[in-house]
Amino acid sequence: MERFKDILQLTANCEITEIVDGELCRWKYIMIHPEDGNYILAINCFTHNVDSLSLSSMKRKYFFIGEGDVEFIIREKIRQKEDILELVKRDIQALYNELKFYGFKE
């Protein structure tokens, strides 16, 4: 699996996976949207509905192309959770600093 960068990565029936906060969404690519080239049409593997996906959103977010690789998915989930943990640690430190600012003990 590789990070989505360009529409040229998409081939008929290729798998598209979005991993956000440990949650998976998967699609099978169908085609470029016939009315708007900024979108693609893909079959949602869970609901079997056809979804319209924004190419610019796919580039900015955690979209990956390729056969579902269990090890890759688990490692990406771990990486994302570690990023979240770092943000939470910074938030906690900022709150401790605020306590100090107001003269309270930690």
Side-chain angles (χ1 to χ4, degrees):
M1 295 180 80
E2 61 183 353
R3 185 88 183 250
F4 176 76
K5 297 177 197 115
D6 188 83
I7 195 164
L8 297 175
Q9 293 171 278
L10 300 175
T11 58
N13 283 327
C14 74
E15 287 187 25
I16 303 166
T17 303
E18 180 185 28
I19 307 169
V20 177
D21 297 335
E23 299 297 320
L24 282 179
C25 278
R26 298 180 106 165
W27 295 269
K28 291 261 186 191
Y29 173 71
I30 302 174
M31 63 189 276
I32 297 171
H33 196 292
E35 295 176 11
D36 189 342
N38 296 314
Y39 292 83
I40 63 165
L41 298 177
I43 298 173
N44 185 307
C45 293
F46 299 122
T47 65
H48 301 287
N49 293 330
V50 174
D51 294 339
S52 179
L53 304 175
S54 163
L55 291 170
S56 62
S57 178
M58 288 173 64
K59 287 178 186 176
R60 285 192 314 271
K61 296 184 180 177
Y62 298 105
F63 280 84
F64 301 91
I65 305 301
E67 193 76 25
D69 177 345
V70 174
E71 180 184 7
F72 178 89
I73 291 169
I74 292 169
R75 290 188 186 283
E76 179 61 23
K77 286 179 176 183
I78 290 168
R79 191 194 65 72
Q80 288 183 18
K81 295 290 185 183
E82 288 173 343
D83 288 348
I84 292 168
L85 183 59
E86 282 303 311
L87 292 173
V88 170
K89 285 179 181 179
R90 276 191 249 151
D91 288 347
I92 291 169
Q93 187 58 52
L95 290 169
Y96 278 126
N97 292 342
E98 193 173 345
L99 280 173
K100 287 181 193 175
F101 176 80
Y102 288 107
F104 299 114
K105 295 179 182 177
E106 286 188 25

